[in-house]
């Protein structure tokens, strides 16, 4: 396919076919909801379609998973396909949601997460450049298996399903990718005439091709060189393959953008993570959700960050677990075997070792001693801990929330703090030490 610009003035809609059952996943989760790097398969497809400029997106969903799939459809319109009567039926169910739409309709499958917006815009551009009413993406395979075959006819194409093909047709190595662009005005009447008199008793979407041709419209195949972009997911084996390819794609984009990723082979980064140039991600680190690292921030080694924000020069790791809602302000540091959740750590403050800090706010230049715990849960509700600037807490402190520690306060080691400690004060709450002289000797003599 020659790259051709898409005409930005021609409206583009998209139908995502996700009405199938996906039984080969052997999973209670609907196929298109399986996640890869923080996004569902459907989420990947919708992101690519949106980036390609589709202003209206209609997702065809199965009746038994309608609500769950609709929730993952991220603002797109969803329509239920009551019975899985084939791809032609799926598109027919979607068309009422595009009533009055006059432009190009891109049709994709919900289980092809490797599609890129560049591929989709090229396809729509090739469609316009050819002045076609229909364009089907195709690719070549040494072993074309169960794919529909693209039969080139003079002036156009025909698509025949493997189960309906003659031996000569089965020998064709150009296959139908299941990715199309049609002019809405040509697609509507062609869908109305679909029949299911074929080997599978299904309404085949590719059967709109001869109908459009019979009405005088041109239908072309646009060959895609990189077939990996078209990988469809049917089993968990293919899901793992796609995850591996997408992982490389995510990491490569970050590296080209200037993020330091020391060992891509042991680094896992979700699709919606943001990395600024010159941040550093050390080996064996997992960045999840909407995590953001600013310039000079470092994560890892051996750390897991979920929906966390690291400002300039902040550090998490080694062996840190930052859960949702953690914010490390500039130069703050969270070290080994520390778990944080819903916690803001002020500039240059440190939680260096062995602590749990949840539902907490810590000021600037504060040091949390080793083994400190914010006891935030009373069995019913979560409570907040507020710690001021320049606070020092001793080792093995428990802060029983709700509790507040004022600026410049000190907490004695081993304290269980249940009452607020005012600014500048020492809070200490532990049993006094007793020393019994000559204890060993008395024990021996007894
Ligand atoms: C389809 C094409 C085949 C092509 C292949 C590429 C048809 C008849 N055949 O075959 O030419 O080579 O894709 O992968 O279209 N779906 C629905 N409702 C249905 C049936 C399917 O929404 O009633 C959805 C599925 O969820 C899936 C997509 O349509 O996302 C494609 O369906 P699938 O059954 O995988 O098509 P194939 O038989 O593989
Ligand atoms: Ca099928």
């Amino acid at each position: 396919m020659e790259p051709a610009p898409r005409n930005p003035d021609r409206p583009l809609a998209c139908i995502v076919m996700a009405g199938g059952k996906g039984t080969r996943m052997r999973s209670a989760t609907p196929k298109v909801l399986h996640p890869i790097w923080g996004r569902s398969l459907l989420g990947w497809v919708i992101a690519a379609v949106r980036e390609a400029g589709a202003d209206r997106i209609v997702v065809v969903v199965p009746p038994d998973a309608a609500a769950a799939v609709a929730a993952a459809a991220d603002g797109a319109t969803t329509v239920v396909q009551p019975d899985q009567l084939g791809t032609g039926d799926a598109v027919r169910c979607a068309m009422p949601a595009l009533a009055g739409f006059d432009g190009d309709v891109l049709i994709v499958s919900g289980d092809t997460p490797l599609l890129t917006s560049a591929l989709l815009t090229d396809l729509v551009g090739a469609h316009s450049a050819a002045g076609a009413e229909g364009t089907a993406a195709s690719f070549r395979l040494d072993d074309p298996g169960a794919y529909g075959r693209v039969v080139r006819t003079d002036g156009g194409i025909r698509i025949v399903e493997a189960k309906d093909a003659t031996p000569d047709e089965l020998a064709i190595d150009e296959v139908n990718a299941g990715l199309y662009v049609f002019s809405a005005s040509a697609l509507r009447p062609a869908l109305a005439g679909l029949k299911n008199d074929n080997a599978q008793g299904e309404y085949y979407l590719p059967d709109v091709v001869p109908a459009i041709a019979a009405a005088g419209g041109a239908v072309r195949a646009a060959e895609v060189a990189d077939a990996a972009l078209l990988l469809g997911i049917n089993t968990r084996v293919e899901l793992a393959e796609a995850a591996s390819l997408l992982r490389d794609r995510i990491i490569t984009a970050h590296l080209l953008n200037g993020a330091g990723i020391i060992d891509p082979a042991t680094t896992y980064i979700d699709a919606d993570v943001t990395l600024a140039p010159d941040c550093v991600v050390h080996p064996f680190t997992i960045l999840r959700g909407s995590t953001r690292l600013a310039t000079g921030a470092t994560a890892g080694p051996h750390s897991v960050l979920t929906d966390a924000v690291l400002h300039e020069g902040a550090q998490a790791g080694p062996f840190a677990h930052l859960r949702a809602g953690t914010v490390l302000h500039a130069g703050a540091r969270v070290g080994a075997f520390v778990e944080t959740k819903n916690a803001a750590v002020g500039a240059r403050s440190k939680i260096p070792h062995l602590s749990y800090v949840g539902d907490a706010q810590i000021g600037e230049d504060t040091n949390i001693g080793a083994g400190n715990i914010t006891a935030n849960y009373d069995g019913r509700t979560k409570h907040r801990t507020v710690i001021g600037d320049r606070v020092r807490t001793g080792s093995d402190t428990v802060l029983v929330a709700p509790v507040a520690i004022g600026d410049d306060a000190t907490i004695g080691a081993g304290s269980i703090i249940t009452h607020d400690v005012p600014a500048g004060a020492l809070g200490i709450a532990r049993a006094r030490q007793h020393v019994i002289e000559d204890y060993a000797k008395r024990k021996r003599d007894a």
Side-chain angles (χ1 to χ4, degrees):
M1 178 168 45
E2 295 299 315
R6 138 165 147 74
N7 175 359
D9 297 332
R10 184 155 165 85
L12 181 66
C14 177
I15 296 172
V16 183
M17 299 183 292
K21 294 205 190 306
T23 47
R24 281 177 287 165
M25 296 296 283
R26 295 181 184 272
S27 167
T29 303
K31 177 165 79 175
V32 295
L33 298 190
H34 279 263
I36 295 182
W37 311 125
R39 270 187 200 163
S40 64
L41 297 185
L42 182 61
W44 280 97
V45 173
I46 289 178
V49 161
R50 245 201 207 114
E51 210 183 311
D55 359 85
R56 294 168 72 173
I57 302 173
V58 183
V59 183
V60 181
V61 303
D64 52 342
V69 178
D74 191 22
T77 306
T78 54
V79 296
V80 173
Q81 183 187 19
D83 300 294
Q84 274 57 70
L85 302 178
T87 49
D89 180 64
V91 171
R92 204 158 53 184
C93 289
M95 288 312 280
L98 295 177
F101 175 80
D102 187 25
D104 290 329
V105 182
L106 179 64
I107 301 180
V108 305
S109 288
D111 61 358
T112 51
L114 289 139
L115 291 179
T116 60
S117 59
L119 172 70
L120 299 177
T121 39
D122 281 355
L123 184 69
V124 177
H127 175 78
S128 317
E133 299 296 336
T135 302
S138 69
F139 61 104
R140 307 252 173 203
L141 276 180
D142 292 339
D143 175 15
Y147 280 92
R149 307 297 201 269
V150 176
V151 185
R152 300 263 180 177
T153 59
D154 36 290
I157 58 162
R158 198 157 56 75
I159 295 169
V160 54
E161 291 308 295
K163 286 185 175 144
D164 301 296
T166 63
D168 279 354
E169 288 166 341
L170 280 178
I172 295 172
D173 70 346
E174 185 177 13
V175 301
N176 173 27
L179 166 65
Y180 319 81
V181 188
F182 294 106
S183 309
S185 55
L187 180 60
R188 273 193 199 94
L191 285 168
L194 284 183
K195 297 207 172 58
N196 63 350
D197 51 353
N198 51 53
Q200 302 186 81
E202 287 182 8
Y203 295 94
Y204 292 162
L205 179 60
D207 284 354
V208 300
V209 170
I212 292 171
V219 185
R220 309 234 179 279
E223 196 180 323
V224 176
D226 185 359
L229 300 179
L230 302 165
L231 178 67
I233 310 301
N234 294 300
T235 65
R236 287 185 184 267
V237 174
E238 287 160 343
L239 184 71
E241 260 171 53
S244 165
L245 292 165
L246 286 168
R247 180 166 161 241
D248 286 351
R249 197 188 281 173
I250 292 169
I251 289 181
T252 302
H254 284 305
L255 289 169
L256 290 173
N257 198 37
I261 298 172
I262 305 302
D263 183 20
T266 60
T267 304
Y268 303 82
I269 303 179
D270 276 359
D272 296 323
V273 167
T274 310
L275 300 182
D278 288 323
C279 70
V280 179
V281 183
H282 290 289
F284 299 100
T285 293
I286 303 175
L287 305 180
R288 305 180 59 193
S290 58
T291 293
R292 285 196 339 245
L293 267 59
T295 295
T298 69
H302 289 280
S303 296
V304 179
L305 282 65
T306 302
D307 300 334
V309 177
L310 271 58
H311 290 274
E312 266 191 42
Q315 296 176 36
F319 300 101
H321 185 193
L322 272 53
R323 292 166 51 202
T326 299
V327 178
L328 306 188
H329 289 280
R333 192 152 69 77
V334 167
F337 305 103
V338 173
E339 176 178 336
T340 61
K341 185 213 72 170
N342 191 21
V345 183
R348 299 169 304 281
S349 287
K350 294 178 195 138
I351 315 174
H353 7 245
L354 303 162
S355 293
Y356 170 69
V357 174
D359 300 310
Q361 182 188 322
I362 299 175
E364 300 183 351
D365 299 299
T366 282
N367 191 79
I368 303 295
N372 279 209
I373 305 290
T374 55
N376 57 335
Y377 188 49
D378 60 13
R380 261 184 292 172
T381 340
K382 301 281 171 71
H383 299 283
R384 285 187 69 72
T385 301
V386 179
I387 301 171
D389 297 338
R390 299 171 303 279
V391 169
R392 297 279 173 274
T393 70
S395 298
D396 205 13
T397 293
V398 178
L399 299 164
V400 182
V403 72
I405 312 297
D407 293 345
D408 300 292
T410 302
I411 307 293
S415 291
I416 296 178
I417 299 294
T418 52
H419 295 95
D420 291 355
V421 177
L426 167 69
I428 184 156
R430 64 180 186 228
R432 258 180 199 287
Q433 180 173 337
H434 294 277
V435 176
I436 299 168
E437 300 285 355
D438 298 325
Y439 176 71
K441 181 170 179 299
R442 280 196 274 155
K443 217 171 136 190
R444 219 166 34 233
D445 296 348

